Amino acid sequence: MVVLSSHPILYAGEDKWSVDPRVSLEVLSRGEFTIRIEDVDMYDEGQYVCAVQTRSRPRTTSVHVIVQVPPKITNVTKDMRVNEGSSIALMCSGSGRPEPSITWRILSPSARGIVSQEEYLEIPAVTRQQAGIYECSAVNEVSADVRTLQLVVNFPPSMSKGKDVGVPLGQRGVLQCEAEAEPAAEFEWYKDDRRIVSSLNGIEIENVSKFSRLTIFNVSEENYGNYTCVATNTLGSANTSIIVFGEYGIYALHN
């Protein structure tokens, strides 16, 4: 019995010719043999032939070994920060046998289905709504490999209209504004074009996330009037006005 492959002879009878320690011969019976290869790699792929010399003529049988390799993502775009309106391309490539298929999904802020089945995910004129966590997966018959990246989209502040506040004399008044922005906005408050400083004249300003809150602890006549909340980041600014009025109502402020 001789075992051949696309490589040199492995065994002649029970004599090992191969120097590869991963290869061994198992004798199942007098006329039945098995070749075992440990830790198979790509180089083991190919045609293997078992030749047996009989009295009449030699007989052979062969098997073709195809080595499958789990997919591995070899290159993927790193976390990215871009300005709104930019055109971008996210890239993900992988290797494996069979060749893996590439799929892009969006995981957050809300999970969506497949957004692309190409190595490149092109996003023309990216918007703030397209920011989030993106997942690339490489899949073949063996298994899957997955990577994620975060896309951050910068945009200037935008603010909702402020809500006017009616407060009796001597009571506490709370003014609040909200700004959507990336990077997060910094807030400033003004009354009649004069900037307000926190912790002075019974006024406190607290900024938390996308909100800014101005509290007047003991409202007096001089606290009535027009307040402006300004939100600023590196891309721009926005503002909204809030009127604080007393017992005479908001319309008295305009007369």
Side-chain angles (χ1 to χ4, degrees), residues 42-217:
M42 292 293 298
Y43 297 103
D44 297 314
E45 183 168 304
Q47 189 84 3
Y48 289 77
V49 179
C50 178
V52 179
Q53 181 64 49
T54 65
R55 292 181 180 180
S56 58
R57 59 185 175 85
R59 294 185 178 182
T60 63
T61 185
S62 65
V63 61
H64 188 83
V65 174
I66 299 174
V67 178
Q68 293 186 319
V69 180
K72 182 177 181 180
I73 293 175
T74 55
N75 199 355
V76 65
T77 301
K78 296 181 180 180
D79 292 347
M80 181 181 290
R81 178 182 289 271
V82 298
N83 291 342
E84 190 171 42
S86 302
S87 294
I88 63 172
L90 307 180
M91 189 273 289
C92 179
S93 61
S95 62
R97 293 280 300 274
E99 183 178 351
S101 59
I102 302 295
T103 302
W104 283 98
R105 290 181 174 85
I106 300 178
L107 300 184
S108 69
S110 58
R112 308 178 206 174
I114 296 173
V115 293
S116 176
Q117 291 181 302
E118 304 290 338
E119 287 189 358
Y120 286 90
L121 172 59
E122 296 183 354
I123 308 177
V126 66
T127 67
R128 64 194 71 179
Q129 289 78 19
Q130 291 171 302
I133 304 297
Y134 285 71
E135 177 192 83
C136 168
S137 59
V139 180
N140 69 7
E141 298 172 7
V142 184
S143 62
D145 191 18
V146 177
R147 301 286 181 86
T148 60
L149 67 91
Q150 182 175 21
L151 174 63
V152 179
V153 179
N154 297 327
F155 57 92
S158 60
M159 305 184 75
S160 54
K161 189 177 185 302
K163 184 178 180 181
D164 297 333
V165 179
V167 187
L169 289 172
Q171 299 299 308
R172 174 182 297 187
V174 179
L175 291 65
Q176 182 169 286
C177 66
E178 177 183 355
E180 298 284 349
E182 184 62 50
E186 296 182 358
F187 293 94
E188 293 179 351
W189 285 88
Y190 294 83
K191 182 178 185 295
D192 302 328
D193 298 326
R194 184 163 59 185
R195 185 177 177 183
I196 301 171
V197 179
S198 182
S199 302
L200 290 179
N201 303 317
I203 293 177
E204 183 177 279
I205 298 172
E206 182 181 14
N207 300 324
V208 179
S209 184
K210 61 181 180 178
F211 297 96
S212 182
R213 182 179 296 110
L214 183 149
T215 302
I216 308 170
F217 289 97

Side-chain angles (χ1 to χ4, degrees), residues 28-43:
L28 304 181
S29 65
R30 183 176 179 182
E32 189 174 2
F33 304 87
T34 296
I35 288 290
R36 179 181 296 275
I37 304 174
E38 304 288 345
D39 299 324
V40 172
D41 61 30
M42 292 293 298
Y43 297 103

